[in-house]
Amino acid sequence: MDRRMLGKTQEELSIIGLNLEKLLVSEDAYEVKRYLEKFILRGVNFFEISLKFEPKDEAAVFPINLYRDQLFIAGRSYSKSGDEIQQDIKELLAKFNLQYLDLIQIIVKTQEDIHRILGPEGALEGVFAAKNLGLIKYIGFSTNKESIALKLLESYDFDSITFPIDWMNWYTGFGRKVISKAKEKGTGVISKQNLIKKITKVNEEKGISDLLYIPSESYEEVKTTIRFSLTKPITSILCSSHIDLLEWLIQAADEFTPLDIQEEENLRKSCEDLSKVFNPKNI
């Protein structure tokens, strides 16, 4: 599997990363172990863990420990204070039997979160302290909101941002400014992806669009999703899809070729109805 450099770091991540949440909660420990070993051997070196994830058995995370030196492990934290995020990092290390995290991702949802994170005794101070202790190597954040992403990118030189880059949002104008700012700052971009598709019902009278979210139903749908995101200047797609779709995910990554001009135009046209009523400024 291809790898790409994460921003200004010297770290190369597989173009597909796996969020372990659904793997760790939906299957038995030995099934998870089998899948993890398989994906690592197929070239996946990027995984994300969180305190919300409860390994059912040590066997479930054994491959992460066995191949640790070959992997890039990111941890996720919802804490906003320095003391709390340091505690999160220590608990993540203990739960997954790790000595350090390659990346800590601070989850940011509101403008108030930004003030708490950047303020005195905020999360950023906490991760600085953890970094000085050798518990983490890099600092990033994760958000779904464009305004928050742009504010944080202006406020500090983060090593990475995790943000949804998908074709339906892109062609309504959402995400372009984030990519541009991250490129300007040298910040690595990781794209969130759940391998779901959006079915749009446009109500022009009310000026709204109802979005129905359902799992991708074919390999071609998964492949299109992966090809679009990887055609943009991102490092990796962090996927949290159900285990049933992961085979398609890995296959699509192995077969990746950039979209050509006509393919991009076809995707853009498919979003025309949505763009009439969708206002990315509201996100």
Side-chain angles (χ1 to χ4, degrees), residues 40 142 212:
I40 291 171
S142 176
L212 305 178

Side-chain angles (χ1 to χ4, degrees), residues 77 79 81-93 122-123 125-131 133 135:
S77 173
S79 294
S81 79
D83 289 343
E84 289 175 350
I85 201 166
Q86 287 185 73
Q87 185 61 34
D88 285 353
I89 291 168
K90 292 175 181 177
E91 289 183 16
L92 279 168
L93 296 177
E125 286 190 6
V127 294
F128 290 158
K131 187 172 183 178
L133 291 172
L135 302 181

Side-chain angles (χ1 to χ4, degrees), residues 11-67:
E11 305 287 350
E12 290 190 340
L13 276 59
S14 53
I15 56 176
I16 295 296
L18 293 181
N19 176 320
L20 294 183
E21 179 174 9
K22 291 187 178 179
L23 275 177
L24 294 181
V25 300
S26 62
E27 303 291 334
D28 69 72
Y30 288 96
E31 189 72 0
V32 171
K33 177 178 178 292
R34 185 175 70 84
Y35 269 97
L36 284 177
E37 288 178 333
K38 181 176 183 178
F39 293 139
I40 291 171
L41 293 176
R42 288 280 294 273
V44 177
N45 77 333
F46 175 30
F47 296 90
E48 185 188 64
I49 59 176
S50 165
L51 290 176
K52 288 190 173 183
F53 313 159
E54 288 290 348
K56 296 177 182 179
D57 189 286
E58 282 191 15
V61 295
F62 174 73
I64 297 295
N65 304 130
L66 180 64
Y67 295 97

Side-chain angles (χ1 to χ4, degrees), residues 219-267:
Y219 173 64
E220 287 305 315
E221 290 176 356
V222 172
K223 187 174 182 180
T224 297
T225 298
I226 298 308
R227 290 184 67 204
F228 173 82
S229 295
L230 290 175
T231 297
K232 303 307 172 188
I234 70 169
T235 297
S236 183
I237 299 173
L238 182 61
C239 184
S240 60
S241 181
H242 191 275
I243 199 168
D244 293 343
L245 294 176
L246 295 184
E247 290 286 356
W248 283 346
L249 176 72
I250 302 303
Q251 183 181 346
D254 286 341
E255 296 177 355
F256 167 69
T257 56
L259 293 174
D260 60 34
I261 294 175
Q262 186 57 55
E263 288 173 319
E264 288 228 35
E265 178 62 12
N266 291 341
L267 286 180

